[in-house]
Amino acid sequence: MASREFAEYVVELLEPLGAVRAKRMFGGYGLYLDGLMFALIADDILYVKADAENREAFEKRDMPPFLYQRQGKTVTIAYHAVPAEALDDRHDLLALARLGFAAALRGRSVVRRA
């Protein structure tokens, strides 16, 4: 479960990116910019979208992927946890969020071409 207060706090921190919106989903929040989901919050942890282009940068920083259990199996989705210290360093947080948004943009391009 993610708290509304934490989601509001993250949205405020990400304000320099533009009109970031938090939408409630599955006990957490999806974070959207320009209609694209680029991050999510679960259990008051911020995760940013990963793809083949940015995943290595996240792995080098030991940013673990988002995992959950479904029917007794562990499922991994393409979002990586933002280090807690990045929430205290707006420059770092915004850089990570921009990487997530860029992945969302690339994902949108792939869907449109299909």
Side-chain angles (χ1 to χ4, degrees):
M1 196 64 119
S3 70
R4 178 185 306 197
E5 294 79 16
F6 183 74
E8 290 172 353
Y9 172 67
V10 171
V11 167
E12 183 180 316
L13 290 175
L14 297 176
E15 188 176 22
L17 296 177
V20 174
R21 293 184 34 220
K23 292 184 184 179
R24 197 88 165 114
M25 58 181 273
F26 307 113
Y29 289 88
L31 298 183
Y32 293 80
L33 179 61
D34 296 337
L36 295 173
M37 186 170 149
F38 71 99
L40 65 87
I41 296 172
D43 297 321
D44 288 349
I45 298 171
L46 174 63
Y47 296 84
V48 292
K49 187 166 182 61
D51 65 4
E53 203 165 309
N54 67 9
R55 186 171 290 109
E56 185 177 340
F58 296 157
E59 289 171 351
K60 282 183 180 177
R61 290 195 58 182
D62 293 323
M63 295 169 55
F66 181 80
L67 307 170
Y68 68 96
Q69 296 293 314
R70 182 173 56 189
Q71 299 177 348
K73 296 185 181 190
T74 300
V75 178
T76 304
I77 62 171
Y79 287 81
H80 284 254
V82 169
E85 61 271 11
L87 295 174
D88 295 326
D89 181 344
R90 187 173 254 184
H91 178 74
D92 188 27
L93 177 63
L94 291 173
L96 292 169
R98 285 184 181 104
L99 288 173
F101 184 65
L105 285 171
R106 287 188 294 273
R108 179 180 69 180
S109 297
V110 170
V111 170
R112 284 189 177 170
R113 285 187 291 222

